[in-house]
């Protein structure tokens, strides 16, 4: 007994599916392979280990700017520390910072780690008002029980 259908119409459909399936699988595979470099992962300082965020790979680092850590030099470079109250990471950035960037505020910096585990940012994003922190930062800090907004009431925390 043959595994092919007896109907010529059903056989034709089976051959079409058998021809299209590998082409479709190849197209999906090539698309996923091409997109692997455009994916940017988000880490908090305590999660940014050398295994998860190797040197040279573009990632996003989020947390709070540590108090009294911002140092500006005359050449336009800014060095500051980002923390999630568990670990801290030194960040260097050359360029203009957002107007709302300041100590104690939530930020997300995109860039790459250097071999010495300093983070070189190419872009820095700051929160836009008193009621906002980047979602990833707030979720990570809340999950660790470290983040408490100043204006939160007891009902907001539950």
């Amino acid at each position: 007994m043959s595994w092919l259908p007896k109907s010529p119409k059903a056989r034709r459909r089976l051959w079409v599916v058998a021809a299209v399936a590998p082409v479709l699988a190849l197209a999906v595979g090539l698309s996923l392979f091409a997109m692997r470099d455009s994916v940017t992962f988000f880490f908090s300082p305590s999660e940014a280990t050398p295994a998860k965020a190797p040197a040279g790979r573009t990632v996003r680092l989020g947390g709070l700017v540590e108090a009294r850590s911002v140092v500006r030099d005359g050449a336009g470079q800014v060095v500051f520390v980002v923390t999630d109250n568990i670990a801290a990471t030194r960040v260097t950035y050359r360029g203009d910072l957002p107007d709302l960037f300041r100590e104690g505020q939530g930020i997300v910096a995109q860039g790459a780690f250097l071999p010495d585990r300093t983070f070189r940012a190419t872009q820095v994003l700051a929160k836009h008002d008193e009621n906002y922190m980047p979602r990833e930062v707030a979720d990570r800090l809340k999950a660790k029980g470290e983040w408490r907004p100043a204006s939160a009431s007891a009902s907001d925390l539950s």
Side-chain angles (χ1 to χ4, degrees), residues 40-101:
T40 305
F41 292 102
F42 175 85
F43 296 101
S44 66
S46 61
E47 297 170 335
T49 62
K52 290 183 181 177
R57 182 174 178 200
T58 301
V59 296
R60 289 187 177 145
L61 179 71
L64 303 172
V65 178
E66 197 169 85
R68 296 177 300 282
S69 70
V70 180
V71 178
R72 301 171 195 264
D73 69 8
Q77 181 166 315
V78 180
V79 178
F80 56 94
V81 176
V82 173
T83 183
D84 61 357
N85 295 330
I86 296 172
T89 301
R90 185 173 178 256
V91 178
T92 61
Y93 178 69
R94 181 173 301 279
D96 295 328
L97 289 168
D99 292 336
L100 297 173
F101 177 90

Side-chain angles (χ1 to χ4, degrees):
M1 212 169 214
S2 174
W3 57 272
L4 291 174
K6 293 183 183 193
S7 164
K9 193 174 186 181
R11 283 185 183 194
R12 205 172 318 124
R13 276 191 227 140
L14 181 63
W15 285 113
V16 168
V17 168
V20 170
V23 173
L24 185 61
L26 181 66
V28 168
L30 288 174
S31 298
L32 292 173
F33 180 76
M35 289 189 299
R36 70 179 162 71
D37 290 334
S38 65
V39 174
T40 305
F41 292 102
F42 175 85
F43 296 101
S44 66
S46 61
E47 297 170 335
T49 62
K52 290 183 181 177
R57 182 174 178 200
T58 301
V59 296
R60 289 187 177 145
L61 179 71
L64 303 172
V65 178
E66 197 169 85
R68 296 177 300 282
S69 70
V70 180
V71 178
R72 301 171 195 264
D73 69 8
Q77 181 166 315
V78 180
V79 178
F80 56 94
V81 176
V82 173
T83 183
D84 61 357
N85 295 330
I86 296 172
T89 301
R90 185 173 178 256
V91 178
T92 61
Y93 178 69
R94 181 173 301 279
D96 295 328
L97 289 168
D99 292 336
L100 297 173
F101 177 90
R102 60 184 164 266
E103 296 171 350
Q105 300 290 47
I107 64 124
V108 174
Q110 183 168 322
F113 282 96
L114 300 175
D116 67 354
R117 299 309 291 166
T118 299
F119 189 78
R120 178 163 310 260
T122 56
Q123 182 181 25
V124 175
L125 305 171
K127 69 183 219 171
H128 73 288
D129 68 15
E130 292 304 315
N131 300 319
Y132 175 77
M133 175 178 284
R135 178 176 295 155
E136 298 94 347
V137 175
D139 290 346
R140 301 280 165 93
L141 291 173
K142 285 177 185 177
K144 293 178 175 140
E146 296 290 332
W147 181 63
R148 299 285 187 263
S151 62
S153 65
S155 62
D156 293 339
L157 296 175
S158 56

